[in-house]
Amino acid sequence: QNAPLGGYYFKLPNNVEITASGVDFMTAVIRMSTQTGGQGGYCGNFNGDAADEFEPPPEGSIYEVLRPAWNTAVGEDLGEVPARLNMFPASLMTSLMQIVEVEGASNAAASKSEDGGRPGINGPNMQPCSQAQLAAAVKACTGIADDDLRSACEVDVCLTGSSNAVDSAGATGVMENQLADGRVPLFIGHGSCHDAKSVAFKTLATKDVRSSAKCLKLLRDFSGVPGVLGAQLQTEGSCELVLKFDVAPRKVKAHAPNVAFKQDVERPRGDTSKREFIAGVQKDLSYSCWRLD
C-alpha cells in the first residue's frame, strides 16, 4: 500500500483508448468509437440507447447517492475473456480478490451500520457501508467534477473505507481533461525522470503540491510554458517540474504567481541533462515521472 500513484494512457488499434490511474485502487476510463461489424460487452453495443446497457439496482437496495454507479451490465458478449486474450489470469485475480476481501472484512469490522447490522453487500437490503462511512465517502469525492467518476469514487470509498480511491479517480479525471484538450502528460514509469544517457534533469520543486492528481494538473497548467519537459513526484514529497537545462526557474515561476515554489532548484546536485527529451526513469518506486507529449 501507499505506493506512488501513476497515470497510464493506452492507445490501442481501432480507436480504442484507455486512461487508468492508481495502484491499490484503480480507476479506468475506456474511450472508443463504433466498431466495424458491431460490438457488445461491458462498454455497450453503441446503438445510441444508454437504457439497454445496464440494469439498475432494485429500489431501496442501495443508498440513493450510489445508484448511478451500482448497476449490472446486460446484453451480449458478457462472458469470460478467451485465455489467449486475457491479461488477468485466474491466479492473479484470485490473489487480488483475497487482498480486497481481507481489507473489506477489516473495514466492516471497524464500523457497524446505524441499525446495528454489519455493512455488507450479500443480502437484498444490505448496504455496502454505514451511513457515517457513506457521508465520509461523499465528502471525500466532492472535488471530482465528472459525475460518473465521482459516483465510482463514492462506491470505492464506501466499500473499502480508504481514501486512496479519491486520488485514483481524481488523477484519471485530470488525464481525461488533458486528452480532450490535446495536451497529454504520459506516465514514463516509477522513478525520477532521466534522459537517454540516464542523466537527471534540472527540476523546480513546489512547496505543497503532494498528490498525483494535483501534480498532473500542475503539469497541464504549465504545458505551454517553454522549457517545461514534464514532472516528477516523490512519495511524502512535493511535485517537481522537470526543466530544460538552460531555462531560468524565475521565468517558469512567473507563469503561475499563485503557485508556491521552493527557492532553489533542488536536484540534481551534480551535472544536469542538456537534452530536451525525457527518455526514461532511474528506477525508484518512491517516484513517479510524467513527460509532456
Side-chain angles (χ1 to χ4, degrees):
Q1 292 189 345
N2 299 322
L5 291 173
Y8 300 85
Y9 170 61
F10 302 90
K11 190 171 182 65
L12 306 176
N14 301 321
N15 295 319
V16 177
E17 299 177 353
I18 301 175
T19 309
S21 177
V23 179
D24 294 323
F25 300 92
M26 185 181 78
T27 300
V29 175
I30 302 174
R31 297 150 56 97
M32 63 191 302
S33 56
T34 303
Q35 304 294 295
T36 303
Q39 64 203 88
Y42 289 92
C43 286
N45 53 25
F46 280 59
N47 65 350
D49 181 9
D52 66 358
E53 315 286 27
F54 297 100
E55 183 177 282
E59 288 288 341
S61 66
I62 191 71
Y63 295 125
E64 192 62 29
V65 70
L66 300 183
R67 282 179 62 85
W70 198 277
N71 42 45
T72 303
V74 296
E76 301 178 349
D77 302 322
L78 299 176
E80 293 186 6
V81 176
R84 62 186 178 82
L85 300 175
N86 193 354
M87 299 174 63
F88 304 95
S91 58
L92 173 60
M93 292 308 297
T94 299
S95 299
L96 292 175
M97 289 305 298
Q98 288 173 344
I99 295 173
V100 172
E101 288 169 2
V102 168
E103 181 158 354
S106 174
N107 290 325
S111 64
K112 291 186 177 270
S113 62
E114 293 183 348
D115 62 2
R118 186 169 65 85
I121 56 173
N122 296 322
N125 295 307
M126 294 291 285
Q127 301 290 1
C129 65
S130 68
Q131 287 278 3
Q133 192 160 307
L134 173 66
V138 172
K139 181 179 179 180
C141 301
T142 298
I144 299 176
D146 183 88
D147 291 341
D148 292 331
L149 283 175
R150 185 171 62 254
S151 294
C153 173
E154 291 166 350
V155 168
D156 288 345
V157 177
C158 177
L159 281 171
T160 66
S162 172
S163 60
N164 286 354
V166 180
D167 256 354
S168 176
T172 301
V174 170
M175 289 185 68
E176 280 293 293
N177 289 335
Q178 292 164 343
L179 285 170
D181 291 345
R183 299 187 296 266
V184 185
L186 294 182
F187 179 67
I188 304 302
H190 290 304
S192 55
C193 301
H194 279 63
D195 66 11
K197 298 291 187 180
S198 297
V199 179
F201 289 90
K202 180 165 68 175
T203 65
L204 178 60
T206 61
K207 287 186 176 180
D208 52 11
V209 178
R210 299 185 180 277
S211 72
S212 59
K214 291 180 179 179
C215 191
L216 283 167
K217 182 180 184 305
L218 180 74
L219 183 54
R220 179 192 177 190
D221 292 343
F222 278 82
S223 62
V225 177
V228 176
L229 305 178
Q232 60 188 31
L233 175 67
Q234 185 179 27
T235 305
E236 306 298 333
S238 62
C239 182
E240 303 171 5
L241 293 176
V242 177
L243 309 179
K244 286 176 57 179
F245 77 97
D246 58 352
V247 171
R250 59 181 177 79
K251 291 186 177 180
V252 175
K253 293 179 182 180
H255 286 272
N258 295 326
V259 178
F261 288 98
K262 296 182 179 179
Q263 291 299 315
D264 301 314
V265 175
E266 293 193 333
R267 232 197 281 258
R269 299 297 185 187
D271 293 337
T272 59
S273 174
K274 291 181 171 55
R275 296 172 182 263
E276 300 182 7
F277 182 75
I278 298 174
V281 297
Q282 183 68 40
K283 294 294 184 182
D284 183 345
L285 289 179
S286 70
Y287 272 92
S288 293
C289 169
W290 295 272
R291 179 181 71 221
L292 271 177
D293 275 17

